[in-house]
Amino acid sequence: MSIFAVIDPATGHTLAEYPGASDAQIEQALAAADSAYRGWARGSTVAERAALAHRAAELMLERKDELAAIITREMGKPPAAAEGEVEFAAAITDAFATHGEEWLADESLAVEDGLRTFFRYQGIGVILGIMPWNFPYYQVARFAAPNLVLGNTIVLKHSEQCPESALALESIFRDAGFPEGAYVNVFASHAQISTIIADDRLQGVSLTGSERAGAIIGEQAGRALKKCVLELGGSDPFIVLDTDDLDHAVQHAVIGRMENSGQACNGSKRIIVLDAYFDAFAEKFAAAIGAQSYDAGDYGPLSSAQATKTLTAQVQGALDQGAELLVGDNAPEGNRYTPSVLTRITPEMDVYSQELFGPVAQLYRVASDDEAIALANSSPYGLGSVIICDDVERAERVGDRLEVGMVFINGAGIEGPDVPFGGVKKSGFGRELGRVGMLEFANKKLFRFAEK
Ligand code: NAD
């Protein structure tokens, strides 16, 4: 059987299979991307490439219904959320098109000797993107758009369960006018990925995925002396310090935990609540999580039978070790997993340091800001965080002490198409989105003019 297949998570039915690439196809992909870099990318302006990216964004919106239906089949995203993802991917692509010239403009440096000195930002060559299934369009947009506008070309290896979204994206970039070789999709095996990374025509690799894959790709990139960006897992804290609007806190904890049926890297996976609010919060939060409706499309099936098996085993392990479910039953029907709240978790339990990739919140009680910070920082991950507090200066002080890449104050889900994204610790390194993301794979070429 092919390793690339569409298996509908709602039914378990295999809907389509796609053959993996031959070694000759991998070679052709690299040759085409390298040639497009040397010809088209080096020979075009940022404005010209931005115009193509702008067109790609338009095409995403024109094809929204078709694109959304693909990911509902591939990974179970409910239709409204799938359409929302397409719109966000288009907005990201358009943000790079709109800001490309400004973000890539020469940057002069104030240097002690006063000589005219500046950075010019240019592409470096072919970049490999390795992408996960959980946001099939959004993840690719935030990698492909900045690199193409910058003047890199890309080889894209999507998740094995996303072959149709992978092909749909490749068509969009081609139909937008990007030439042959600028954006090449490959149905590569993991062994072929390793060959691509070692190839001298490749200049960088960006992986979004699990900690396990990150360690492997990081090692391969290091061995081949290639720059890499790793966007990995997370177990983000959602900290409730002080509020006169507990309903708002509960609403955002639900948004933070339930986004993408609980399968978001920066989902609010650990809800940490100060004593004074804990009992009232726990009651309202458990009720709100319990009220989530599969039929109304609040959440969809987990992405695959394997994902369901993994989550169920993790929760069962926690229950065996003494944790309790406030709501939920850890008894999925197919891949339909009832949203749950897990409490009475202690540091000795395995689940304490694990990422739960599904609609299961861990709920913790703490006695002080210091205790909330210590608990938040005890995770091996460091992606994002949310702090709920009416006193925003106190929230900022707490955020200042968190070992994370992002601090959202008083709201979950406030990402934006031009707002940088990324983490620290085992959540990886590097950033995507915004100017900082666009410069990850740039040659920061220094110009300096001597006095005559
Ligand atoms: P995964 O690591 O299993 O797969 C991600 C990609 O890496 C896939 O294309 C897969 O084929 C590839 N891959 C895996 N092992 C590989 C190997 N040995 N060699 C070459 N390629 C390999 O992750 P997933 O299950 O698809 O995605 C979920 C994970 O992604 C979660 O941990 C989630 O938190 C994380 N994620 C992180 C971010 C972020 O921005 N930090 C965003 C989305 C998802």
Side-chain angles (χ1 to χ4, degrees), residues 357-389:
F357 220 54
V360 182
Q362 300 189 18
L363 179 62
Y364 294 92
R365 177 199 290 263
V366 289
S368 64
D369 290 12
D370 283 350
E371 210 181 298
I373 293 163
L375 173 51
N377 289 345
S378 65
S379 169
Y381 296 106
L383 191 53
S385 59
V386 178
I387 301 171
I388 302 292
C389 189

Side-chain angles (χ1 to χ4, degrees), residues 21-318:
S22 64
D23 290 348
Q25 284 172 318
I26 297 290
E27 167 53 34
Q28 275 164 18
L30 271 169
D34 186 51
S35 150
Y37 168 68
R38 292 178 194 292
W40 165 75
R42 301 295 297 128
S44 53
T45 64
V46 174
E48 286 163 352
R49 297 188 297 270
L52 301 182
H54 178 65
R55 180 66 192 135
E58 285 177 349
L59 286 175
M60 287 177 195
L61 295 179
E62 282 171 22
R63 299 178 190 177
K64 181 169 74 176
D65 293 351
E66 176 197 329
L67 293 173
I70 292 174
I71 59 174
T72 299
R73 288 197 298 275
E74 285 180 337
M75 47 71 69
K77 195 166 303 215
E83 285 170 27
E85 183 183 332
V86 176
E87 286 165 8
F88 197 38
I92 286 168
T93 305
D94 210 42
F96 284 110
T98 303
H99 297 289
E101 281 197 282
E102 168 201 338
W103 288 344
L104 297 173
D106 290 348
E107 184 178 347
S108 67
L109 303 180
V111 287
E112 285 186 7
D113 59 19
L115 292 184
R116 183 176 169 224
T117 305
F118 62 83
F119 274 138
R120 175 158 298 163
Y121 298 110
Q122 296 179 329
I124 53 174
V126 184
I127 312 294
L128 172 67
I130 307 175
M131 294 294 146
W133 51 264
N134 65 337
F135 291 94
Y137 300 124
Y138 157 76
Q139 298 296 350
V140 173
R142 67 185 200 173
F143 163 72
N147 280 303
L148 290 170
V149 175
L150 170 63
N152 289 320
T153 57
I154 61 177
V155 172
L156 203 293
K157 147 72 178 72
H158 216 316
S159 166
E160 287 76 359
Q161 72 183 81
C162 295
E164 294 183 352
S165 45
L167 292 173
L169 281 165
E170 188 186 39
S171 303
I172 281 175
F173 283 90
R174 191 177 51 235
D175 295 350
F178 285 98
E180 169 90 24
Y183 179 122
V184 191
N185 180 70
V186 286
F187 287 145
S189 67
H190 292 174
Q192 287 168 329
I193 288 295
S194 168
T195 307
I196 295 173
I197 292 174
D199 192 290
D200 281 344
R201 288 167 290 187
L202 192 88
Q203 300 303 329
V205 51
S206 180
L207 166 91
T208 300
S210 61
E211 181 192 332
R212 188 190 56 76
I216 295 169
I217 296 304
E219 186 182 344
Q220 293 178 0
R223 212 180 302 133
L225 294 177
K226 305 290 164 68
K227 157 120 189 208
C228 74
V229 165
L230 300 176
E231 293 283 359
L232 310 178
S235 190
D236 288 7
F238 180 105
I239 303 173
V240 182
L241 296 177
D242 184 27
T243 176
D244 64 7
D245 187 353
L246 202 57
D247 290 337
H248 170 267
V250 168
Q251 183 199 349
H252 279 263
V254 172
I255 292 169
R257 179 62 288 215
M258 289 303 298
E259 196 205 350
N260 208 28
S261 308
Q263 305 165 112
C265 50
N266 67 331
S268 298
K269 293 170 189 148
R270 297 178 296 150
I271 315 291
I272 300 169
V273 185
L274 250 67
D275 250 341
Y277 296 99
F278 186 87
D279 291 335
F281 180 94
E283 192 179 325
K284 284 175 182 254
F285 182 56
I289 289 286
Q292 292 289 298
S293 163
Y294 183 91
D295 294 330
D298 293 339
Y299 68 100
L302 293 179
S303 63
S304 66
Q306 183 55 49
T308 305
K309 195 172 151 199
T310 302
L311 182 67
T312 309
Q314 286 174 311
V315 173
Q316 191 54 50

